């Protein structure tokens, strides 16, 4: 049968996107997809490959290049109980339909006193490192963090893509689902049918005792690489994958900091107004007594992301930068 | 009632129907006149965008729609809400920001909303409702429901990007959207010929492949007839339809607008074609209305407004403890 591949064993992050959507579409006929090139083309990143063949044009809607219509129509359909999964091809293009993310979708439930909910997902390819230039490479998860009413998901592994996609689609609240472009080719175990990961549950992906590295999506892998290097120096780093920015699992963050007494955030969004600033403000507010050293934030530089490899690498967080940040606080 | 039914209606039925259209237009006008007083008395705060002069569009269009149809509106939506059938006391309480308001006081004048009558909101973003209408219609089309989504917006919205995205998409997908453009000639303080290179808005819509006509928006019977025909077209699965209602607002854009961009004479000229006066004249001419009946109608509406104001005055405020309610869903309707 044509459709989404269902081999057992391993799965790529890219395949996991289509698999995660397909699993929900099979169990819930109200789930539909809208977006540019998502149908026969299979998605510009092939993240929707097989969906059109399996579910057909009444559930997989190819749209014109009309971001406002895509996201606004998803909202309109969602108000009637449909569960749309709308794709905005690159997260940079969220700016083209920001009115719907900032003014319409997150507010309608509140402004109507709960008369309607908008159970929709906006999926988008986020992040840099691929030389796509300043308008196709940004990590913009912090944009969404400025808006009460949205939930924000950014998985780091194929299993989490599937598990969080299930929860995002089933959520009665609007979810912005950031898929990282740099992770599409990465592989991991294929989770069993029925796998889902609750929104707002961070994962301790490496245990440690000396410092907490708090990361999201691509930077989970950066932090893990840094943790390997730090182990060679005798520094035991705990790596926490935040998974979601809203709901934000501050309980797990504070518990980790209680253990390690040191915190370094590893963020791909720019340092200015990056998500780490929000986390750190809470840690300082509620967990100041837990800390033995200043908190460090490793984030992208406050510049538009440049094209040239050497420049782009300089802007983005790297394992080297994380190692340096940890060393700066290790013996404080 | 279909167009054919209306044409064949007995004189008494026709008189009753005209009386109902008159009643709706008068309810809207008198409601808003009272809102102006309440605004001056600081009972109503924030923005207040009056529909006075445009009542024929709401009254005529809503009369041509069914309860199953969906409505998407704008920030100038008091008339749409009342004509759609949202209880006046619920609308007035929302103007006051009271817990009994149709949006529990969280919306206000620009965000009247009533899921029960499929009134999917006022919307304070110009053009903001058009994509929502496309999505509502998509859901109806997928479920094979013979339902029309009537989307109201002004001439100002035609300049927004959503307008062009949505007309194209609705035409491309043959969606059951009835685009209802209320062309009142001014986008806030800018006259249409200073904002649009092509001021024939129906012609603009036709360029996207939509069936489109312009309608005398000061004639409630013309509005109703054209809306009924357009809704029948859409309901039959022929795709979207565009109605350009040529109308005029007598009052300023909002209570903050000193209204210095047009001549008083222009307003007076439009008032010569007042939709309420025109229908009253017509009904009197056809012996469908006399002084007593008109006086009874005025008294009935005044009483309805008095009751709505009193109820709003006495209504409770939404408790502060509920400030964070409704930001996120409280329970999951879907099984995990």
């Amino acid at each position: 049968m044509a459709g989404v591949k269902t081999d057992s064993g391993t799965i790529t992050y890219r395949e996991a996107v289509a698999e995660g959507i397909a699993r929900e579409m099979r169990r819930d006929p109200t789930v539909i997809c809208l977006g540019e090139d998502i149908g026969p083309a299979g998605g510009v990143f092939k993240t929707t490959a097989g969906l059109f063949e399996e579910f057909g044009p009444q559930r997989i809607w190819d749209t014109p290049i009309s971001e406002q219509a895509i996201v606004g129509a998803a909202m309109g359909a969602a108000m009637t109980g449909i569960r749309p999964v709308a794709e905005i091809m690159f997260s940079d293009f969220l700016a083209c339909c920001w009115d719907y993310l900032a003014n319409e979708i997150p507010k309608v439930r509140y402004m109507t006193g709960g008369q309607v909910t908008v159970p929709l997902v906006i999926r988008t390819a986020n992040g840099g490192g691929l030389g796509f230039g300043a308008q196709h490479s940004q990590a913009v998860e912090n944009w969404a963090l400025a808006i009460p009413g949205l939930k924000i998901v950014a998985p780091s592994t194929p299993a989490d893509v599937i598990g969080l996609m299930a929860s995002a689609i089933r959520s009665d609240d609007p979810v912005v689902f950031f898929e990282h472009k740099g992770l599409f080719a990465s592989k991991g175990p294929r989770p069993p049918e029925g796998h889902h990961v609750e929104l707002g549950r961070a994962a301790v992906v490496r245990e440690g005792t000396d410092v907490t590295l708090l990361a999201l999506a691509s930077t989970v892998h950066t932090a893990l690489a840094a943790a390997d290097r730090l182990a060679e120096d005798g520094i035991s780093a705990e790596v926490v994958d935040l998974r979601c920015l809203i709901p934000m699992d501050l309980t797990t963050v504070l518990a980790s900091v209680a253990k390690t007494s040191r915190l370094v955030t590893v963020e791909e969004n720019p340092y200015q107004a990056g998500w780490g600033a929000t986390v750190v403000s809470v840690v300082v507010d509620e967990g100041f007594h837990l800390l033995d050293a200043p908190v460090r934030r490793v984030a992208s530089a406050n510049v538009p992301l440049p094209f040239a490899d050497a420049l782009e690498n300089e802007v983005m967080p790297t394992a080297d930068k994380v190692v340096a940040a940890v060393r700066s606080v290790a013996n404080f | 009632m279909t167009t054919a039914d209306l044409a064949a209606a007995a004189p008494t039925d026709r008189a009753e129907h005209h009386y109902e259209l008159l009643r709706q237009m008068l309810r809207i006008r008198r409601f808003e006149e009272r809102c102006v007083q309440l605004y001056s008395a600081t009972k109503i705060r924030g923005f207040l965008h009056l529909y006075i002069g445009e009542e024929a569009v709401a009254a005529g269009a809503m009369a041509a729609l069914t309860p199953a149809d969906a409505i998407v509106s704008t920030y100038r939506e008091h008339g749409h809400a009342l004509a759609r059938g949202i209880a006046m006391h619920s609308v007035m309480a929302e103007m006051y920001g009271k817990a009994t308001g149709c949006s529990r006081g969280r919306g206000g004048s620009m965000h009247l909303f009533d899921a029960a009558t499929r009134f999917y909101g006022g919307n304070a973003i110009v053009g903001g409702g058009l994509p929502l209408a496309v999505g509502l219609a998509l859901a109806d089309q997928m479920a094979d429901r013979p339902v029309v989504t009537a989307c109201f917006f002004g001439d100002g919205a035609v300049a927004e990007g959503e307008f062009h995205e949505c007309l194209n998409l609705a035409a491309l997908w043959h969606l059951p959207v009835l685009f209802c453009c209320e062309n009142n000639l001014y986008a806030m303080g800018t006259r249409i010929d200073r904002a649009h290179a092509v001021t024939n808005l129906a012609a603009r819509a036709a360029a996207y492949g939509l069936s489109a006509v312009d309608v005398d928006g000061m004639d409630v019977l013309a509005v109703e007839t054209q809306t009924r025909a357009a809704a029948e077209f859409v309901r039959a699965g022929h795709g979207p339809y565009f109605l350009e209602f040529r109308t005029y607002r007598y009052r300023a854009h909002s209570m903050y607008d000193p209204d210095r961009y047009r001549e008083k004479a222009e307003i007076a000229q439009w008032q010569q074609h007042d939709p309420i006066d025109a229908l009253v004249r017509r009904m009197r001419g056809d012996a469908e209305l006399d002084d007593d009946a008109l006086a009874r109608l005025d008294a009935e509406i005044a009483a309805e407004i008095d009751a709505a104001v009193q109820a709003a005055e006495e209504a409770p405020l939404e408790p502060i403890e509920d400030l964070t309610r409704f930001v996120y869903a409280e329970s999951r309707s879907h099984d995990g």
Side-chain angles (χ1 to χ4, degrees), chain A residues 28 69 104 110 115 150 170 173, chain B residues 102 115 165 323 328-329 334 336:
Chain A
D28 183 348
E104 305 285 354
Y110 190 79
Q115 291 183 64
L150 298 177
R170 294 177 205 182
D173 294 309
Chain B
C102 57
E165 293 190 8
L323 177 69
Y328 293 101
H334 251 50

Side-chain angles (χ1 to χ4, degrees), chain B residues 73-225:
Chain B
S73 185
T74 71
Y75 53 84
R76 198 180 303 285
E77 89 284 33
H78 312 142
H80 303 139
L82 292 171
R84 179 58 178 175
I86 305 179
M88 187 183 284
H89 63 80
S90 173
V91 176
M92 186 60 87
E94 190 60 34
M95 311 292 287
Y96 270 70
K98 294 295 184 78
T100 53
C102 57
S103 302
R104 298 180 78 122
R106 284 166 165 76
S109 163
M110 303 191 289
H111 300 289
L112 305 175
F113 196 103
D114 183 44
T117 54
R118 301 206 78 207
F119 189 85
Y120 287 100
N123 199 310
I125 304 295
V126 172
L130 278 91
L132 277 53
V134 165
L136 288 160
L138 177 63
D140 287 328
Q141 186 194 64
M142 287 174 57
D144 211 15
R145 290 187 287 259
V147 167
V148 173
T149 295
C151 179
F152 291 86
F153 54 93
D155 48 294
V158 175
E160 292 278 11
E162 294 102 314
F163 174 85
H164 304 276
E165 293 190 8
C166 289
L167 263 66
N168 176 56
L169 202 54
L172 183 71
W173 290 352
H174 306 288
L175 295 176
V177 183
L178 184 56
F179 291 100
C180 299
C181 179
E182 298 180 312
N183 179 2
N184 67 15
L185 297 178
Y186 289 88
M188 294 188 68
T190 303
R191 197 182 154 85
I192 188 167
D193 56 7
R194 298 183 61 236
H196 290 275
V198 175
T199 57
N200 182 338
L201 304 181
R204 308 267 296 275
Y208 287 101
L210 276 81
S211 302
V213 297
D214 58 80
V215 183
D216 179 357
M218 305 302 275
D219 178 348
V220 68
L221 298 178
V223 170
E224 186 190 4
T225 301

Side-chain angles (χ1 to χ4, degrees), chain A residues 152-239:
Chain A
I152 308 165
V153 175
S156 67
T157 67
D160 273 4
V161 168
I162 290 173
L164 290 165
M165 186 71 78
S167 295
I169 292 173
R170 294 177 205 182
S171 168
D172 284 339
D173 294 309
V175 177
V176 187
F177 196 99
F178 290 99
E179 298 157 10
H180 200 285
K181 293 192 284 286
L183 299 177
F184 280 139
S186 64
K187 286 186 180 169
R190 172 192 297 277
E193 289 293 327
H195 175 68
H196 72 99
V197 175
E198 193 180 339
L199 302 184
R201 287 291 172 90
V204 179
V205 294
R206 176 182 173 127
E207 296 215 14
T209 55
D210 298 333
V211 61
T212 297
L213 302 181
L214 185 60
L216 183 76
S218 64
T219 69
V220 172
H221 305 280
T222 310
L224 286 169
D228 283 343
R229 299 254 305 276
L230 290 163
E232 293 167 13
D233 296 348
I235 296 172
S236 168
E238 176 148 302
V239 179

